[in-house]
Amino acid sequence: MSGVSVSTRWPAISRAFRTTAIRGGASLGRPGARYFNRVTLASNLRHLFKSLDVNCVLDIGAHRGEYAEFLRSSVGYRGRIVSFEPTPQSFDAMATRFRHDPDWLGPDCAL
């Protein structure tokens, strides 16, 4: 499928996806950021995940699991989350945070 843009393959992915999920996801709407606030980001991701029937999210460079926690608590996402974090201290904190979440996987490695 080389040469086919994501927007061509999935019309539901629009400008909102590119700005919300890609740029907005990194900041999670922190004060002073150039991106969406948390409420807008959560709403847009909720709509996007439902439209595309998302059942797995890869969290690369997960740190202590802040984005995964955001997906669970603010977006209401209940599917599989695979979080990658190579730093032992951050990984341990994240593993403790999600130890009771059966749909969370956390390999302690870098990609």
Side-chain angles (χ1 to χ4, degrees):
M1 299 212 105
S2 76
V4 177
S5 74
V6 172
S7 294
T8 302
R9 289 183 58 206
W10 298 309
I13 299 177
S14 63
R15 182 174 182 277
F17 167 76
R18 290 189 296 275
T19 55
T20 303
I22 296 171
R23 293 191 328 182
S27 74
L28 294 183
R30 291 187 188 125
R34 298 179 301 144
Y35 310 115
F36 292 101
N37 63 39
R38 290 180 72 90
V39 173
T40 303
L41 177 60
S43 175
N44 288 343
L45 286 175
R46 195 175 303 113
H47 173 74
L48 180 71
F49 286 9
K50 184 176 179 182
S51 297
L52 297 176
D53 196 27
V54 172
N55 61 10
C56 184
V57 171
L58 301 178
D59 186 6
I60 313 300
H63 192 245
R64 295 174 180 259
E66 296 89 350
Y67 187 65
E69 180 66 31
F70 171 76
L71 291 177
R72 292 285 192 239
S73 64
S74 297
V75 176
Y77 177 70
R78 297 292 170 239
R80 170 83 61 194
I81 297 176
V82 183
S83 301
F84 295 89
E85 176 54 51
T87 308
Q89 298 87 349
S90 295
F91 179 82
D92 290 344
M94 180 175 55
T96 299
R97 177 184 252 174
F98 293 108
R99 70 181 175 269
H100 298 297
D101 185 341
D103 288 320
W104 175 80
L105 293 174
D108 55 343
C109 64
L111 292 183

